[in-house]
Each structure stands twice: as structure tokens, then as C-alpha cells.
Amino acid sequence: MFIQILAALGLAICLLLGIRMCLSAPRQRRLDAVLRRWGYGLKARALGLYHWRATRRQAAREAEAAIERARKKGQWEGNVYRPESFDKKPRKPH
């Protein structure tokens, strides 16, 4: 299966290069520009997908860390959470 995909990809590249050789110089430049834009677009989409997944994993880790910190500090009174920071002495005004 994988070898067939590689063979088909190689054939498509060979056909594209053969068609390119039959074109005039201005049309070759235009075809090159179109292929370059497609390549940049595919690269941008692939990087966006990768960063989206990485950002999602990082957000999940940070949320889990925040939940764990909240469990360790403070007290629960029924369904109300009271952090230890509320129990500090008030500061004197300047």
C-alpha cells in the first residue's frame, strides 16, 4: 500500500515536470509561482494543525495543574472554596 502511494506520487511528479518542460518560459514561471503558493499554503496548514494540537495539550496540562493547586491549598466549606490567601492579616494603609 505504502509503496503504491510512493509510486503514484513519483508518477505525478514526473508528469508535472514533463508538462512543465512543454510550456513556454512565462508559463513555466506562472506554474512555478502557483505551485510555490500551494506549497506555502500546505505548509501553513500543517503548522497550524500541529500548533493547535500542541496548544490544546498545553492548555489541558495547565488546567490540570491549576486544579491540583486548588485542591492542595485552602478549605472547602460545603460547596464554597476558601483559599488560604483570604486568611491573611490585612495590611496597614500607607
Side-chain angles (χ1 to χ4, degrees):
M1 177 71 180
F2 180 70
I3 294 175
Q4 291 175 344
I5 292 172
L6 285 179
L9 185 62
L11 178 64
I13 290 171
C14 288
L15 288 174
L16 184 64
L17 289 174
I19 292 171
R20 184 183 179 276
M21 286 192 298
C22 295
L23 297 175
S24 63
R27 288 188 179 190
Q28 283 182 1
R29 285 192 297 272
R30 193 177 317 152
L31 178 64
D32 292 343
V34 167
L35 293 176
R36 195 175 303 118
R37 278 195 307 266
W38 284 358
Y40 289 146
L42 287 174
K43 180 181 175 183
R45 286 188 182 111
L47 286 175
L49 180 63
Y50 173 76
H51 289 300
W52 175 75
R53 291 185 65 194
T55 303
R56 194 170 170 182
R57 282 193 304 265
Q58 181 183 3
R61 282 194 304 264
E62 289 179 8
E64 187 62 37
I67 290 169
E68 192 61 33
R69 281 193 310 272
R71 285 184 184 149
K72 290 182 181 178
K73 295 182 180 179
Q75 299 173 354
W76 283 94
E77 297 173 3
N79 63 348
V80 177
Y81 176 71
R82 171 175 268 173
E84 290 177 356
S85 61
F86 286 172
D87 296 334
K88 292 182 180 177
K89 295 193 295 186
R91 297 183 324 167
K92 292 183 179 178
H94 301 285

